[in-house]
Amino acid sequence: AVAGLCARVRQARECEGDTCTGLTRVAARGLGMTIITVLRNWRAELCALGNIPLVILIYIPRLFISIIVVIVAQFCRLGAWCIDETSDITRQPKVNKRILIVTDYLPPQTHGIAIRFQQYITHMRSHGHEVHVFATTQRPELETSFDHPRLPSVINPWNVQNRMAYNPGARLAWTLGARQWDMVHVVYPSLIGAFVIAVCGWRRIPVYCSHHVDIDFYARRYTRFKVVRTFGMLLYDLLARWPCQRGATVNAAPTLQFLRAHMRVDPAKSARIPTGVAIEAFKPQHVGHRQADRRALLERIGVPDAGSKAEAGKGPAVWLLVQRLAPEKDTGLVFGALAAALEQAGVSSTPHTSATATGSLPVQVVIAGDGPSMAALQAEVRERGLPVTFLGSVDHKNLPALYRGASCFVTCSTSETYGLTVVEALASGTPAVMPHCEVFDELHKERLPPSWFYDPAHLQSVALLVALRAASTPEAAAWLVENPIKLSWETSTEELLAQYEKAIEYNLPYRREKSSHKVALVHSLIASATFFAVWWLMRIYSRYIIRLFARAMLLDVTISNEGAGGPPAAKAAGLRCQRQRSSRAALSLSAVGCPLRGAETALRARLAGRRAGTQLGPRESMHADRMD
């Protein structure tokens, strides 16, 4: 907008006879366009929020209902405990554990968090543990009687394929308040974690909070306005980060480096959440397994004579990316390295090259994934004529064949908190190229060859190309065969259960404090006070919403509680509502042929007013006279 304003000022100086008048006119027009541009950007930012503003309106009433449900459940437990009909408050050793997991991420979502927790849940249940899951979604074929994929949720405006819970709901509130739990695991990011942590802290239940997304990084990349970003991060601190710091028994993350950068945490109460892969599904089962997968992949991307090239171990180098196509993933960096590789090979890529022509090039890029940046990336590929194949969203069970068929795997994202696709590629026997960053250096720097890493700060395309060439050689694949990755979900789940046990033992002294009758009595009094406080706040909030709605509907509403001296009708109802519309609204009502409806309303108001001893307004009296 500023550049356009300057151009118009120069044009006005050349063309306008009266320079001052032209400058004034152009400056006013440019200022107006600047204001319009800013307003349009704000409108786009607000429209991206979807129905979140409506959710904010009903958030407080639903939260109050959840609090009341927890208090009622606690009084029910207290009554059962008084007559000795419930288990002892102190923890008794059992063969298995009763675990509650609260998460927004489960299949059919295809990202790493959903895959990770579906594996945890499956292996915990196979060990005989009673695992209850509250989520926003779940595959119907995987749902059991212990799964509750019905948390109140809305579509995530920054990732429309996911839903995020905005309120715990009555079912989760009752489950937290009425049942006994050995461990509660809250998966972040989450907007209901503060409620869960507060209830668990009240009941002395250990809480394991695992953090999987760098919210600060995403806020900087996705939010254009600093005011909106600052307000959003403040809300996240209030609802997520600060409650975890003060109330969680253990805070965990895929890497300790990310956990320390994400929040202030006591080292004694921090842990690295274990991660694994389905080794049996990813590693080649026989000698010809990788060859068959490579042949299928070459045929899929249109390489001529794919069968003979796969058998002879020849053909183009295939660089594979498996990720969500979004700005923070920096997928376009691979295109620069690909163009440089084609230029060094003496191949010139032209715009709008056919699929058959690109299939014969010495280097191919295959991208599995979908997201908001897909259309822009496809347009860039068509414009530059690069040999890139977009497969779209691929089911997780079909990913092992893609990994095994590729020459190497590559990721350019520095926003990962773990990078599950990197481990999946390594488990498949495919070398992986990744940038130097805190997370990847902590996890893989000591176990992988240095030539598979590149520095994202200097000459990204050149450094990335060098690493890709090093990882695409047969020697790199042979090194990975001699040094396989040994991370399985079975061992990861056992390690997670061991972390649960440590958290339970750490929390045990606090739970024993609640076994006395004195503490039970104090908690009952506090619960009663909380119940009445919530009822009073809900009463005030409902009155405010009623008045706000009435003003929007051109109604004048007065809410009051009459005493003993008030009129009988007001004393019985406690509500007086006088409907006053403007003369324009009354004329429009008559214009559509409905004058008797207003007169009938006025006559009814006159009769009610006579009974209550009140006086009508002038418009109601006029309509009543017309009706008479």
Side-chain angles (χ1 to χ4, degrees), residues 300-592:
R300 189 170 183 177
I301 63 179
V303 175
D305 198 13
S308 60
K309 291 181 179 178
E311 292 176 0
K314 300 180 179 180
V318 180
W319 301 342
L320 175 66
L321 293 89
V322 180
Q323 61 188 19
R324 179 173 178 261
L325 302 183
E328 72 276 2
K329 301 297 183 179
D330 294 327
T331 310
L333 295 178
V334 179
F335 299 162
L338 177 61
L342 295 177
E343 183 179 356
Q344 292 180 7
V347 179
S348 60
S349 59
T350 57
H352 310 290
T353 307
S354 64
T356 305
T358 58
S360 60
L361 296 179
V363 183
Q364 304 284 330
V365 172
V366 178
I367 301 177
D370 197 355
S373 299
M374 185 171 184
L377 293 173
Q378 289 176 333
E380 181 180 355
V381 167
R382 288 193 298 267
E383 182 180 354
R384 302 175 66 175
L386 298 175
V388 179
T389 302
F390 291 88
L391 302 181
S393 182
V394 178
D395 194 278
H396 189 259
K397 65 182 180 181
N398 298 326
L399 287 180
L402 289 179
Y403 287 125
R404 292 190 294 263
S407 303
C408 73
F409 171 85
V410 57
T411 178
C412 301
S413 174
T414 57
S415 63
E416 305 293 335
T417 58
Y418 185 82
L420 184 60
T421 54
V422 174
V423 181
E424 291 177 345
L426 296 174
S428 304
T430 302
V433 174
M434 65 202 77
H436 277 296
C437 62
E438 294 176 346
V439 171
F440 289 146
D441 287 348
E442 178 182 343
L443 294 173
H444 306 294
K445 187 176 181 179
E446 301 297 331
R447 80 170 62 165
L448 296 180
S451 59
W452 296 3
F453 293 83
Y454 71 94
D455 188 359
H458 304 286
L459 300 175
Q460 293 181 340
S461 298
V462 177
L464 178 58
L465 178 58
V466 172
L468 286 168
R469 289 190 180 280
S472 301
T473 60
E475 292 78 11
W479 184 91
L480 201 55
V481 172
E482 297 175 357
N483 304 272
I485 298 298
K486 300 178 180 179
L487 294 175
S488 66
W489 287 117
E490 182 73 21
T491 57
S492 299
T493 304
E494 293 177 356
E495 185 178 350
L496 180 60
L497 290 171
Q499 293 181 5
Y500 284 173
E501 188 63 35
K502 291 182 180 179
I504 292 172
E505 296 298 329
Y506 178 82
N507 184 73
L508 192 56
Y510 300 98
R511 176 168 287 190
R512 285 173 177 166
E513 291 179 359
K514 201 176 179 182
S515 60
S516 65
H517 290 80
K518 179 181 178 180
V519 175
L521 178 60
V522 172
H523 279 208
S524 301
L525 295 176
I526 296 176
S528 302
T530 305
F531 179 86
F532 286 108
V534 168
W535 172 79
W536 182 259
L537 292 175
M538 183 64 188
R539 188 165 172 262
I540 296 175
Y541 181 81
S542 61
R543 290 187 173 196
Y544 175 77
I545 294 299
I546 290 173
R547 290 193 183 99
L548 190 65
F549 177 76
R551 290 176 183 175
M553 299 299 295
L554 301 179
L555 297 175
D556 185 14
V557 175
T558 304
I559 303 176
S560 62
N561 291 329
E562 296 292 341
K571 187 187 303 183
L575 176 67
R576 296 198 310 270
C577 177
Q578 296 178 356
R579 186 173 181 175
Q580 297 178 352
R581 293 181 181 271
S582 63
S583 58
R584 182 179 299 177
L587 290 176
S588 64
L589 181 63
S590 301
V592 296

Side-chain angles (χ1 to χ4, degrees), residues 123-138:
H123 286 85
M124 285 181 189
R125 289 173 177 171
S126 65
H127 283 72
H129 299 287
E130 183 182 344
V131 183
H132 294 251
V133 181
F134 279 81
T136 58
T137 183
Q138 174 68 288

Side-chain angles (χ1 to χ4, degrees), residues 216-235:
D216 302 282
F217 179 87
Y218 280 79
R220 292 191 299 268
R221 294 295 294 265
Y222 276 86
T223 308
R224 291 173 291 182
F225 295 100
K226 185 177 180 180
V227 176
V228 178
R229 180 170 65 249
T230 303
F231 178 72
M233 293 309 301
L234 177 61
L235 286 180

Side-chain angles (χ1 to χ4, degrees), residues 74-85:
Q74 281 290 277
F75 276 113
C76 292
R77 280 191 61 87
L78 178 63
W81 183 51
C82 291
I83 61 176
D84 199 21
E85 291 293 335

Side-chain angles (χ1 to χ4, degrees), residues 207 209-211 244-245 248-253 259 263 265 269-271:
V207 185
C209 297
S210 57
H211 307 267
C244 289
Q245 292 176 357
T249 309
V250 174
N251 282 291
L259 182 62
M263 60 191 304
V265 61
K269 298 171 62 177
S270 60

